[in-house]
Amino acid sequence: MLKRLLAAPILLCAFRPLFLLAAVAAVLCMAAWLGFLLLGLPLPAVPGGPVVWHAHELLFGFTFAAIAGFVLTAVPEFVDGPAAPRPAVLALVLLWLGARLAWSASGAVGPWPAAVLNVAPVLVLIALVAPMLWRDPARRHLSILWALLAWLGGTVGFYAEALRGEPPLRSLHAAIGVVMVLVVIVMSRISMNVVNSALDTLGETTVSYLARPPRRHLAVACIVLFTLADVLVPGAPTAGWLALATAAALFNLLNDWHLGRVLLRRWVLMLYAVYVAMALGYALIGLALLAGVGSVSGGRHLLAIGALGLSIFVVMNIAGRIHTGRELDARRWIPVAAGVLLLAAVGRAGWSWWPADGALLLWLAGGGWLFAFGGFIAHYLPLYLQPRPDGGLGCEGVMDSD
């Protein structure tokens, strides 16, 4: 039985089960959240209440599964290392599933089982990729390891607060900051391939795209500083100014992308939109803290839906195709779903400005999220249950141009 499971196509590469689990978690958790907000349906009783359950599953459930799937696929490619062993991937999947059940049951059995089962998969992920990242002679990708260690710290911090009976929102806010840093780190690597491939397709031989380190480092530094202020002195003017500085640094980073008509290519434009959503999210947070315009929650949701959600959706559609030996999906549903996700982010952020229309905006935001990730499940589940069409036996694959 175990041997047959380990030989199944779903475990051919780590991203297959983990991307699917991320998408399923995105759909189920959002459906439950909408049911709670709009229909009065109950949510699991957990430390911190419904808002904490929602944020926890968005970050430690959906987001972590997507991060793990990407990292276990990309790092071996970056450093020419071995793919994660199938038993380790299966163990990671089972730990992730156990963590979801333990967290939802934490109101009845206490937070200790959830703490152990949510920290364990992060440790497994770090144990699988840290040796490869460290042994790389150039050590060009150690920033991924530092981000994973920061994620581990956020996970431990969340459960330390929960076990002490304190509201664990600070650790959730810190986790959002870690994800934003990881998005910038990962996007710099993906965008180099995507944008330059699109330039080649257009016959643009006089220009090339380079994700310049100074701009990227400035953006990362600003995100880190804002996150520290947000955790240590929440609501203080210092956090507001740092949020505006972060928005400015992200808009400055976008100057690398302004290379003419290539920006209108679908994959390039979707990745560009991630940075725009991130910059606007931090700008809204800064305005809320300094001028009382809108709310910090609106900015956080623009980060969570627009930047985090869209980046994961796009990366899963890129990596989730090329590493099954297939060309990138050229059908219209992907840019449509990406556009709907952005509208969902704007709708949820807009609730901060027009709370009287809250139900309509919540349906818009939740429906857009369900449409995008439900579409991913519908299109990719059949692919991940099948062997590679090119006869490959692992994660290998070459990115095709758009």
Side-chain angles (χ1 to χ4, degrees):
M1 177 68 175
L2 179 59
K3 184 179 292 187
R4 185 181 304 173
L5 177 59
L6 291 173
I10 191 65
L11 290 177
L12 197 59
C13 189
F15 74 85
R16 291 189 177 216
L18 290 166
F19 281 2
L20 281 176
L21 287 174
V24 170
V27 169
L28 293 181
C29 293
M30 183 58 68
W33 185 238
L34 288 177
F36 169 75
L37 290 178
L38 298 171
L39 303 176
L41 300 178
L43 285 175
V46 299
V51 172
V52 172
W53 179 88
H54 169 61
H56 180 283
E57 288 307 282
L58 171 68
L59 291 167
F60 301 130
F62 159 70
T63 301
F64 176 73
I67 290 172
F70 174 79
V71 167
L72 289 175
T73 304
V75 167
E77 183 180 33
F78 291 161
V79 302
D80 194 24
R86 293 192 187 193
V89 174
L90 180 59
L92 189 62
V93 167
L94 294 176
L95 285 170
W96 184 91
L97 289 170
R100 309 282 60 75
L101 294 174
W103 170 243
S104 289
S106 59
V109 302
W112 269 111
V116 172
L117 288 170
N118 276 279
V119 169
V122 187
L123 292 173
V124 171
L125 177 61
I126 292 172
L128 288 171
V129 300
M132 287 187 283
L133 291 168
W134 197 260
R135 285 196 300 264
D136 178 29
R139 292 185 177 172
R140 295 165 296 171
H141 307 287
L142 278 180
S143 55
I144 295 175
L145 177 58
W146 308 142
L148 292 177
L149 290 172
W151 182 269
L152 175 63
T155 308
V156 172
F158 174 90
Y159 281 100
E161 291 177 326
L163 288 165
R164 290 196 302 265
E166 300 174 3
L169 283 174
R170 288 192 308 168
S171 295
L172 294 171
H173 295 162
I176 292 176
V178 174
V179 175
M180 294 301 107
V181 168
L182 193 56
V183 168
V184 174
I185 292 171
V186 167
M187 288 261 288
S188 67
R189 289 153 173 78
I190 295 175
S191 60
M192 294 278 282
N193 283 324
V194 171
V195 178
N196 287 313
S197 293
L199 285 169
D200 291 342
T201 301
L202 292 172
E204 299 281 357
T205 58
T206 59
V207 294
S208 62
Y209 170 76
L210 176 64
R212 290 173 173 81
R215 285 176 169 159
R216 186 172 70 251
H217 294 163
L218 176 61
V220 168
C222 287
I223 293 171
V224 170
L225 289 173
F226 165 76
T227 302
L228 289 173
D230 192 34
V231 171
L232 298 176
V233 286
T238 302
W241 288 115
L242 286 171
L244 293 181
T246 303
L250 288 163
F251 280 126
N252 176 59
L253 188 152
L254 286 174
N255 285 317
D256 290 337
W257 294 67
H258 299 154
L259 301 171
R261 58 179 179 154
V262 70
L263 192 57
L264 300 179
R265 302 292 285 182
R266 63 157 63 185
W267 298 105
V268 178
L269 186 57
M270 286 187 285
L271 291 172
Y272 183 89
V274 170
Y275 282 128
V276 172
M278 194 185 300
L280 291 176
Y282 282 112
L284 284 181
I285 292 173
L287 289 173
L289 290 175
L290 295 174
V293 178
S295 76
V296 172
S297 176
R300 291 197 203 279
H301 280 88
L302 198 51
L303 294 178
I305 301 174
L308 187 156
L310 181 60
S311 63
I312 288 177
F313 177 78
V314 174
V315 169
M316 289 200 311
N317 274 284
I318 293 175
R321 290 276 302 191
I322 63 174
H323 290 287
T324 61
R326 292 175 170 86
E327 296 181 356
L328 294 178
D329 196 334
R331 290 172 291 182
R332 293 181 180 176
W333 79 272
I334 291 179
V336 170
V340 168
L341 259 182
L342 284 175
L343 287 176
V346 172
R348 180 57 185 84
W351 192 23
S352 304
W353 299 76
W354 301 287
D357 298 322
L360 176 61
L361 292 173
L362 284 176
W363 279 120
L364 172 64
W369 181 274
L370 293 173
F371 175 81
F373 289 102
F376 181 89
I377 295 170
H379 285 89
Y380 283 84
L381 178 60
L383 301 185
Y384 292 169
L385 296 179
Q386 300 173 7
R388 291 173 58 118
D390 59 357
L393 298 176
C395 303
E396 65 273 9
V398 178
M399 183 179 292
D400 296 312
S401 62
D402 181 5

